[in-house]
Amino acid sequence: MRKILRFRGADIRPEREAVLKRQGVPKSAASKYEALLSEALDLLTEVSVPVAVVREISSEEFAQVFQGEQRNDSPNPLEAVFPRASTLALFGATLGPAVCAKIAALFDAGDYASWYMLDAAASLGAEALAKLLQAGFRSRCAAEGRLAAGEAALCYSPGYCGWHISGQTRLFSALGLVEIGMTLRPSFLMEPLKSVSGVIVCGESGVHVFDDVFEFCAECRHHTCRERIAGVGREHGNA
Amino acid sequence: MGMLEDIARFLEEGDEDNVSASTQAALKLGLAPKEILERGLIAGMNVVGERFREREIFLPDVLMAAKAMTAGLEHLTPLLAEGGVVAKGKVVIGTVSGDLHDIGKNLVAIMLKGAGFEVVDLGKDISPQAFVDAAVKEKAGFIGMSALLTTTMPVMKDVVALARKNELLRKVKIVIGGAPVSEEYAREIGADLYAFDAASAVDRVRAAADR
């Protein structure tokens, strides 16, 4: 079933510490940027209009979406993860165009510190929105008795971990994201920029565990998969 | 403490009002715009850059200092132009076509200005021809390109190829950066410089300009 979900700006307000960490600011220096940070978070809350489309999808249908334009790296982790999932849902979500316009306006006005602070907060806000969808889908499956104890939900997105970004085309088409104002450029870039998309995979927590030893991992700067996988473990008291 | 040292200190503190007021006061006292720029604003930004590299201060401080520098430059730029004072170099910069991510490019532009370079910011989603045309028109010493997507990264190769064919851009140096870009990729496409981040972009452009 396809659902359009709307949220409040306050729902996607990121942790203060995370916004500063994103800019390389350590905890010990955080107090210096309190005013700047508060201003950015308030602005984000005020101008964001978070909206999402979520659609549950069968493993077979997802295999078609995932295949995209046949440009995925192989092997990749998701091709091993999704066939073992108990349930899957595609999602696309955006904070809306106003926040992107505000970020651009701050830069144009020369308010560089505010510009960068709001941009960092909005990027984390988009990630928070994906996490909300992930938690919501997991809760729904659990409430419907479709999730066994120990099962965890985790999002995967085109453009990461070997899922080629061209996979966005089929994903957008399967979700009908135009209805919530999301479009795709020929380079597969989402507009508005502060948007997220992908698949929520529910399954045994072990399903999500993989080592970062794929060919493309060597070029990855962040290896955030480690933290994500550790998060799944923590959720189930395994960390 | 002298007026130029005051300007540098206010800039380090990101105090745009005082940078603006002190720059005006220095001009009223008859100090040369070039001297105010180099021994006040750029000297202050150099300290900011150094402290940033040493992790004594962080990106928001650099950005506040950059805004303060802009406040001072507003008074100096017309006078510098009148006096025929030239910048350390001119950089035409943009995010390649298909890509709308301009955070990295903007940071580089801000920091290059702080280091005394003239920056012509073409914006985002810039075609190869537009990069080359702008570099010719502006008589730029550098073309700076940024891409955040693997799908837009190949545009950099097109820009390099187009620039190399242009006789008027024989001396132009091309610098590239962005998340999927690497030193190896820069070599592969024939770019002159690769920058891992905004700070290293400034270091590399500065080093190339001094050669």
Side-chain angles (χ1 to χ4, degrees), chain A residues 23-26 29 32-33 36 71 107 110-113 115-117 119 164-165 185 187-189 191 193 221, chain B residues 55 58-61 63-64 66-67 70 98-101 103 106-107 110 125 149 151-152 178-179 181 194 196:
Chain A
Q23 296 169 86
V25 177
K32 194 176 168 190
Y33 312 107
L36 200 62
R71 292 167 73 183
F107 180 79
D111 278 336
Y112 303 132
W115 155 72
Y116 201 70
M117 193 68 81
D119 187 89
H164 196 266
I165 194 170
R185 293 173 72 87
S187 59
F188 312 108
L189 183 75
E191 285 190 273
L193 266 186
R221 285 187 186 186
Chain B
R55 291 187 57 78
F58 303 96
L59 197 52
D61 301 298
L63 296 174
M64 283 188 264
K67 189 180 182 194
T70 307
D99 212 324
L100 300 181
H101 296 98
I103 297 297
N106 288 347
L107 282 175
I110 290 167
D125 200 8
L149 302 170
T151 47
T152 55
V181 180
Y194 159 73
F196 178 78

Side-chain angles (χ1 to χ4, degrees), chain B residues 111-140:
Chain B
M111 290 190 184
L112 280 171
K113 282 181 198 167
F117 285 85
E118 186 178 348
V119 176
V120 180
D121 189 347
L122 303 177
K124 52 200 175 188
D125 200 8
I126 305 302
S127 73
Q129 193 62 54
F131 270 108
V132 168
D133 289 349
V136 170
K137 182 181 165 215
E138 299 291 343
K139 296 186 173 67

Side-chain angles (χ1 to χ4, degrees), chain A residues 22 116 119 123 158-160 165 187-190 193-195 219 221-222, chain B residues 94-105 124-125 145-156 176-181 185 196:
Chain A
R22 189 101 172 184
Y116 201 70
D119 187 89
S123 293
Y160 297 91
I165 194 170
S187 59
F188 312 108
L189 183 75
M190 290 183 281
L193 266 186
K194 299 301 177 191
S195 299
E219 288 162 22
R221 285 187 186 186
H222 306 294
Chain B
T95 301
V96 298
S97 52
D99 212 324
L100 300 181
H101 296 98
D102 57 2
I103 297 297
K105 181 268 295 175
K124 52 200 175 188
D125 200 8
M145 285 182 278
S146 162
L148 195 83
L149 302 170
T150 50
T151 47
T152 55
M153 196 169 79
V155 179
M156 292 175 158
I176 66 170
V181 180
Y185 183 71
F196 178 78

